[in-house]
Amino acid sequence: FQKLLELDGDAEESVIAVSPMNDRIQLEFKVVRYASKDRLLIARDITQTQKLQRMRRDFVANVSHELKTPLTVLQGYPEMMDDPQQTPPAMLKKAVENMNAQSTRMSNLVDQLLTLSRMETPSDDVFDHEVDMPAMLEQLQAEAKRLNEAKQHTIEFQVAPVRIYGKENLLRSAMQNLITNAIYYTPEGGNITVSWKRVAGGAEFSVTDNGKGIPAEHLPRLTERFYRVEDDRNSASGGTGLGLSIVKHAIEHHNSQL
């Protein structure tokens, strides 16, 4: 900072430093020459800009990571299948199953990225239509029942006759993600309660389960794209790490909180 002042505005240089008032704030300082003898010292808060740049770098790194495994599978198996007569039928069957699973995974990843992209565009007609929430939750209950066949959880839906104004596709996407997470991450035979009710000042949707939970240090970052608790960062788990980001964007469109 002292060297910057000594340059006397003669160079297009800037200094980035932590704010002396708050160590979470990054400031950029620059000295600009104007008129004949005057100098202007500019201090600019660049915390958000740096955060966005970091998120962009993380996003590129994470997309690369998420695509690497399925692409490796899809590239590897065709080499093995060059001579199908020399490949045991059981191995061929497994190869096809794995390629199908990984191509589905990439397709889901692209679909969810496109969903997020659309959600980031502001919409003026969010509250133009009334949504029949009980009817939507009845459909989600039927989907949850099919998804739960392997896990054998006890799932209870407690739905009050409350309708709201909003976008049905966004609300459905958010609720579906939360219910699906509960089914996937609760140990077999668990208990899950899905609730929709009126509360003071609005309505509340909640999904409660008796899974192992999430350590507190991960909670602030859960809605970041591709962020997952470290021991779950496994492509075999089937998740894309985008679900809670979709939930966050969907409810922000409705002036609501997660």
Side-chain angles (χ1 to χ4, degrees):
F1 184 76
Q2 184 177 347
K3 287 180 180 177
L4 177 71
L5 293 178
E6 291 171 353
L7 288 171
D8 198 28
D10 289 332
E12 290 292 318
E13 292 189 28
S14 62
V15 169
I16 296 175
V18 176
S19 165
M21 307 301 292
N22 186 338
D23 60 10
R24 288 177 296 182
I25 295 177
Q26 294 279 319
L27 299 175
E28 180 187 54
F29 299 95
K30 195 169 187 177
V31 177
V32 179
R33 179 194 293 268
Y34 73 100
S36 57
K37 298 181 180 179
D38 295 324
R39 306 289 180 272
L40 179 66
L41 174 64
I42 301 173
R44 187 167 69 103
D45 184 346
I46 60 168
T47 309
Q48 187 65 15
T49 302
Q50 289 204 323
K51 181 182 177 183
L52 290 172
Q53 289 175 345
R54 185 174 66 251
M55 287 174 63
R56 184 175 60 191
R57 289 194 300 270
D58 290 346
F59 175 75
V60 172
N62 280 312
V63 168
S64 303
H65 174 90
E66 296 297 330
L67 291 175
K68 191 172 183 179
T69 298
L71 283 174
T72 300
V73 172
L74 291 172
Q75 288 172 339
Y77 277 124
E79 294 175 5
M80 181 192 77
M81 297 165 67
D82 277 344
D83 189 359
Q85 293 182 346
Q86 299 297 319
T87 307
M91 191 175 291
L92 277 175
K93 183 173 183 291
K94 182 182 178 183
V96 172
E97 288 175 351
N98 282 343
M99 286 192 291
N100 279 333
Q102 295 300 338
S103 62
T104 299
R105 175 176 174 76
M106 283 197 292
S107 178
N108 290 339
L109 182 66
V110 171
D111 287 344
Q112 290 194 320
L113 284 170
L114 289 172
T115 298
L116 276 170
S117 179
R118 287 192 295 268
M119 284 183 175
E120 287 174 343
T121 304
S123 178
D124 296 328
D125 63 343
V126 173
F127 300 110
D128 286 355
H129 304 284
E130 188 180 56
V131 180
D132 187 345
M133 296 298 291
M136 182 204 296
L137 285 162
E138 187 176 346
Q139 294 173 0
L140 290 175
Q141 185 173 6
E143 292 176 13
K145 186 177 179 181
R146 290 193 295 271
L147 196 61
N148 186 44
E149 288 175 356
K151 289 278 196 170
Q152 295 297 304
H153 297 315
T154 299
I155 304 180
E156 181 183 3
F157 275 68
Q158 301 171 351
V159 181
V162 179
R163 296 185 176 205
I164 60 173
Y165 283 90
K167 279 204 164 183
E168 183 171 345
N169 62 325
L170 298 186
L171 293 167
R172 179 187 176 88
S173 182
M175 294 176 176
Q176 188 178 45
N177 270 295
L178 293 173
I179 295 170
T180 301
N181 276 1
I183 293 173
Y184 277 155
Y185 296 111
T186 300
E188 193 170 327
N191 298 305
I192 299 171
T193 301
V194 179
S195 168
W196 171 251
K197 61 186 179 182
R198 188 183 300 280
V199 295
E204 179 184 86
F205 176 78
S206 68
V207 181
T208 309
D209 62 59
N210 61 344
K212 65 179 181 179
I214 300 166
E217 65 266 23
H218 295 289
L219 295 179
R221 299 192 60 191
L222 274 185
T223 57
E224 291 181 21
R225 296 181 183 191
F226 299 112
Y227 185 83
R228 283 177 289 194
V229 178
E230 194 60 37
D231 62 5
D232 181 52
R233 190 170 179 82
N234 178 0
S235 294
S237 70
T240 59
L242 295 172
L244 289 179
S245 186
I246 289 174
V247 172
K248 175 192 172 187
H249 280 80
I251 63 175
E252 282 181 349
H253 273 272
H254 292 82
N255 300 332
S256 301
Q257 295 177 327
L258 176 63

